[in-house]
Amino acid sequence: MTTLREIKDITICESTAELLTKGRADSVSTVFDRADDIKPCPIGAQQACCKHCYMGPCRLSTKAPYEKVGVCGATIDVFQARGFGRAVAAGTAAHSDHGREMAELFLSVAKGENTDYQIRDTKKVYTMAGYLGIATEGREFNDIAVEVGEACLALFSQQHGHIKFLERAPKKTFQRWADLGILPRGVDREVVEMMHRTTMGVDQDYKNIVLGSARCALADGWGGSMVSTGLSDALFGTPSPVTAEVDLGVLDEKRVNIVVNGHEPHVLDMIVRMSEDPAMIAKAKALGAEGINVVGMCCSGNEQLVRRGLNHAGNFVMADAAIITGIVDAIMVDVQCIMMGLSTISKCYHTKFVTTNYRCKVEGAEHVEFNGEHGAMETGKKLVELAIDNYKNRDKAKIKAPSKKEKMVGGFSHEAINYMLGGSFRGSYNPLNENIINGKIRGVVGVVGCNNPRVKHDWVHVELVKELLKNDILVVQTGCSALALAKLGFMQPEAAEKYCGPGLREVCAAVGIPPVLHSGACVDNSRILEAVCEMVAAGGLGNELADLPIAGAAPEYMSEKAIAIGHYFVASGALVAFGVTFPYTPNTKFADYIFNEIENDLGGKWAFEPDPYAMAKLIIDHIDKKREALGINVAKERVLFDMEARRQL
Ligand code: NFS
């Protein structure tokens, strides 16, 4: 019998704790309990296992002096690099297959073949055309849009030359990539090449594999993800500040509740639109409900939160808790971060678990295929009806409706940041740069990524961000991490007063922004690339991305996608710190390369640190080092709070 953690050790999120307690009383198993039940394989966890051929799998000792090698003679450094490269390829594939879906959808709309969606942000299409070198003078908008869509789609299978969006980077950063020979070609080509290079008997130089992985990761960040963000903005609107409510309390006992858990914004968009149809509302009312309530969960929810202020139920590990409420009439999923356990747990309640994408079917789930290009509206209606019909099956004895929810302001695209800081007539990044130069803002850090049930849910995110804010570091967020902070009120302008050092507090008050900016889903980390390019362009902070006092962190990550994102930030010149665990063996050449030496090649580097306070310290040290190199470091005390001070806070 496994001993399960006490709920207080599992999460700091009150509503999650409340529902997990009920889940245990209901005898259902959640992702947290399964994490207690299955210990990670210690050899796999250190990437000291290679299973890419059938002379093995070979497992090496994780203790120095690492003399043992695989049957083919491969060293532990090659083992680690291969595993790393494959994670980057898988993550890149995931973001990019999603990006391609957006490109195909956009193209069908631009061509006038699909009237279920519209292009809502024409300005974005012109901007994209500019980056892609597509002429716009004197041309019909639709012709431009079709060409933009085709160019974006072609970028996936591009065989020669680099992805055009890379030219948005500062010249020096671009030159670094060119000199290293890692300017990526099309996304598909880079993913295929990385899979090839990591098969048995191909690339057996760990540095060459890691640099090859950088090429693949760059194709993700500056290719697939950038296409996804750009075209989704064109279709659904570029985010600008908007209010919403987050946490499980957004579920409403009196209405039909639909939770959409996934990554395809057009699926959620259609379900929301169909739920607003008076005929649908009438149908729900006829069954005794007061209406229909659609909320997001994880990333497509993040996209619709920052674009239209859609309420959001929480990060992906909270999906079990949502079902345990007994008031979720349907949970609809598309692709990515969908736990198979949801199928099992939904059967313990009345919840319908519905898959909608041919790529992601789950045993035991009902499948209603959603095709954005054909009959999206019809399918959207069908999905909403299915939830309405299930409302009558609620089991009153199993209901526990959570009440906790928090208000937030989100929607900080790089365009919105530009506007907020500079105003509509002189929108620019100059004010941000000035505040960094004068030291009111010490640096900017992207705190992103998943939750991982092996650590206390949300706690690492929140403690890290608190430390950064106290030290005048502006925080930009995406993905599940953003929900951790939003649920605790960090995304309200008032949070600046409560959590920030004096400099950051002053800037936030003057501009009227929260100190933690929500920028969208994980694919929207490409927005952070855009923002940091603008920072270099605005001047005064160096000539390449690696000069900036910035960093990235994914303190509770769990996905291969996070590794791909981390690596494109490293390849773009940032320090990237990961928590929980990292697939490496300490004191090997591979470890030394990715954590140190790689900085000479790429300008950025990796760090692994599970403790949020130590992570904050290493990030702040890095930022101070960059400030010093820029000659803008005014001596500043680092505020390190002791336990007592933390408790008071
Ligand atoms: Ni990102 Fe979205 Fe969340 Fe992690 Fe999964 S939902 S794309 S991978 S778990 S942040």
Side-chain angles (χ1 to χ4, degrees):
M1 258 300 272
T2 326
T3 328
L4 301 178
R5 277 171 290 177
E6 284 187 48
I7 303 285
K8 69 172 176 38
D9 298 325
I10 290 181
T11 179
I12 59 162
C13 169
E14 280 174 34
S15 47
T16 305
E18 187 184 338
L19 274 312
L20 290 181
T21 307
K22 174 177 186 280
R24 285 199 179 161
D26 293 351
S27 303
V28 297
S29 144
T30 66
V31 62
F32 295 99
D33 297 343
R34 290 190 296 271
D36 290 342
D37 192 39
I38 300 175
K39 293 282 167 252
C41 161
I43 300 196
Q46 297 202 11
Q47 204 81 259
C49 167
C50 179
K51 54 179 180 62
H52 308 312
C53 85
Y54 303 95
M55 298 190 285
C58 297
R59 306 196 311 168
L60 301 186
S61 158
T62 54
K63 303 242 164 6
Y66 312 115
E67 276 159 352
K68 204 163 170 185
V69 293
V71 175
C72 69
T75 61
I76 194 158
D77 299 300
V78 169
F79 276 34
Q80 294 170 85
R82 276 182 184 155
F84 181 83
R86 288 210 162 189
V88 168
T92 302
H95 290 137
S96 300
D97 207 31
H98 162 76
R100 184 189 351 249
E101 180 103 1
M102 289 303 103
E104 285 182 327
L105 179 69
F106 176 85
L107 200 51
S108 71
V109 176
K111 283 183 176 166
E113 296 164 359
N114 181 357
T115 50
D116 285 353
Y117 297 92
Q118 281 89 42
I119 296 176
R120 291 193 205 155
D121 187 347
T122 50
K123 203 170 150 211
K124 192 78 180 206
V125 178
Y126 284 106
T127 313
M128 298 278 284
Y131 293 134
L132 291 161
I134 293 168
T136 53
E137 257 324 275
R139 293 181 67 193
E140 290 286 327
F141 172 75
N142 270 27
D143 295 341
I144 299 168
V146 169
E147 203 177 330
V148 165
E150 277 167 351
C152 285
L153 199 54
L155 168 162
F156 292 94
S157 56
Q158 183 182 330
Q159 297 304 321
H160 303 285
H162 60 262
I163 291 172
K164 195 89 178 130
F165 291 124
L166 290 142
E167 292 169 18
R168 299 175 70 176
K171 278 205 177 64
K172 203 171 158 196
T173 305
F174 184 89
Q175 197 53 47
R176 216 187 244 275
W177 298 327
D179 292 346
L180 285 165
I182 58 165
L183 282 169
R185 299 148 298 183
V187 185
D188 298 352
R189 177 157 191 179
E190 297 308 340
V191 172
V192 166
E193 186 175 293
M194 194 34 59
M195 292 306 286
H196 174 205
R197 282 166 75 159
T198 51
T199 52
M200 189 270 154
V202 187
D203 207 344
Q204 285 153 95
D205 176 319
Y206 67 94
K207 282 190 196 175
N208 205 42
I209 299 173
V210 172
L211 288 175
S213 314
R215 189 179 198 178
C216 182
L218 288 170
D220 176 357
W222 299 83
S225 291
M226 215 168 258
V227 163
S228 172
T229 297
L231 296 184
S232 305
D233 279 356
L235 285 168
F236 307 110
T238 301
S240 59
V242 63
T243 56
E245 289 182 330
V246 287
D247 210 341
L248 291 172
V250 300
L251 296 168
D252 181 354
E253 189 173 355
K254 299 203 176 83
R255 288 187 284 168
V256 172
N257 287 303
I258 303 177
V259 174
V260 181
N261 177 187
H263 288 74
E264 307 281 55
H266 62 303
V267 178
L268 178 51
D269 176 83
M270 190 53 80
I271 293 173
V272 172
R273 279 161 54 199
M274 293 305 104
S275 76
E276 288 163 353
D277 178 348
M280 290 290 172
I281 298 172
K283 217 171 167 206
K285 286 190 172 165
L287 289 170
E290 285 182 5
I292 308 165
N293 180 37
V294 182
V295 299
M297 178 138 261
C298 84
C299 277
S300 57
N302 273 325
E303 289 204 31
Q304 295 297 355
L305 185 159
V306 295
R307 291 197 175 103
R308 61 159 80 198
L310 185 75
N311 289 347
H312 201 295
N315 32 39
F316 96 103
V317 281
M318 292 168 69
D320 290 324
I323 295 173
I324 293 170
T325 62
I327 56 170
V328 173
D329 302 298
I331 178 158
M332 302 186 169
V333 303
D334 44 68
V335 288
Q336 300 178 20
C337 305
I338 315 300
M339 295 184 286
M340 187 168 180
L342 297 180
S343 172
T344 320
I345 199 170
S346 57
K347 292 201 169 39
C348 304
Y349 299 88
H350 83 298
T351 306
K352 283 234 185 239
F353 179 61
V354 188
T355 52
T356 61
N357 191 299
Y358 74 91
R359 297 174 185 83
C360 171
K361 292 193 177 178
V362 180
E363 198 183 326
E366 186 164 338
H367 187 76
V368 177
E369 194 129 326
F370 186 96
N371 182 332
E373 289 167 61
H374 301 286
M377 222 175 246
E378 276 315 298
T379 320
K381 269 191 198 140
K382 200 167 150 191
L383 288 167
V384 173
E385 273 171 351
L386 194 147
I388 297 172
D389 288 342
N390 196 33
Y391 175 78
K392 60 179 182 302
N393 297 324
R394 282 191 191 175
D395 178 350
K396 284 211 169 65
K398 283 191 177 172
I399 290 178
K400 185 173 181 65
S403 58
K404 199 174 165 297
K405 55 184 174 181
E406 193 61 79
K407 287 196 168 55
M408 62 161 290
V409 184
F412 294 92
S413 55
H414 89 94
E415 291 91 337
I417 296 174
N418 207 27
Y419 171 77
M420 292 294 288
L421 288 166
S424 55
F425 297 110
R426 54 177 189 95
S428 89
Y429 273 68
N430 288 335
L432 175 64
N433 283 25
E434 278 161 24
N435 281 310
I436 292 175
I437 293 166
N438 69 24
K440 281 187 190 146
I441 297 177
R442 193 175 198 151
V444 181
V445 173
V447 180
V448 304
C450 329
N451 292 100
N452 187 319
R454 297 209 177 275
V455 296
K456 199 196 262 189
H457 171 225
D458 289 346
W459 181 78
V460 200
H461 289 298
V462 171
E463 292 307 302
L464 172 68
V465 170
K466 277 189 198 163
E467 295 293 314
L468 297 176
L469 296 181
K470 267 185 328 217
N471 287 283
D472 292 316
I473 291 170
L474 181 67
V475 173
V476 183
Q477 292 211 282
T478 60
C480 289
S481 179
L483 278 323
L485 277 297
K487 284 185 289 171
L488 290 174
F490 283 76
M491 292 184 180
Q492 299 162 0
E494 301 75 39
E497 186 58 43
K498 204 163 161 193
Y499 297 107
C500 297
L504 182 59
R505 192 186 307 145
E506 188 190 323
V507 176
C508 289
V511 186
I513 50 169
V516 179
L517 306 178
H518 191 334
S519 295
C522 284
V523 282
D524 296 329
N525 282 319
S526 59
R527 295 190 200 283
I528 302 181
L529 292 178
E530 294 173 323
V532 291
C533 287
E534 298 267 358
M535 284 167 70
V536 173
L541 292 176
N543 303 316
E544 63 168 330
L545 300 179
D547 291 336
L548 294 170
I550 58 165
E556 297 185 24
Y557 87 104
M558 64 84 199
S559 170
E560 289 169 314
K561 291 182 284 172
I563 303 261
I565 294 168
H567 207 41
Y568 74 64
F569 274 102
V570 167
S572 301
L575 167 77
V576 173
F578 270 37
V580 191
T581 180
F582 201 81
Y584 83 108
T585 305
N587 306 315
T588 54
K589 287 186 279 179
F590 168 82
D592 188 48
Y593 184 58
I594 62 163
F595 295 133
N596 297 304
E597 210 191 318
I598 200 170
E599 199 173 14
N600 301 330
D601 291 329
L602 296 173
K605 63 177 179 180
W606 284 90
F608 166 56
E609 178 50 70
D611 175 72
Y613 312 114
M615 187 187 270
K617 181 181 180 311
L618 74 88
I619 288 173
I620 296 164
D621 286 347
H622 175 82
I623 283 177
D624 286 350
K625 209 177 78 196
K626 293 291 172 187
R627 295 185 63 88
E628 200 172 321
L630 289 165
I632 55 168
N633 61 319
V634 260
K636 264 201 153 188
E637 279 291 290
R638 182 181 322 121
V639 198
L640 282 179
F641 278 29
D642 57 15
M643 260 338 263
E644 187 46 44
R646 244 175 237 141
R647 242 175 255 128
Q648 281 179 6
L649 198 70

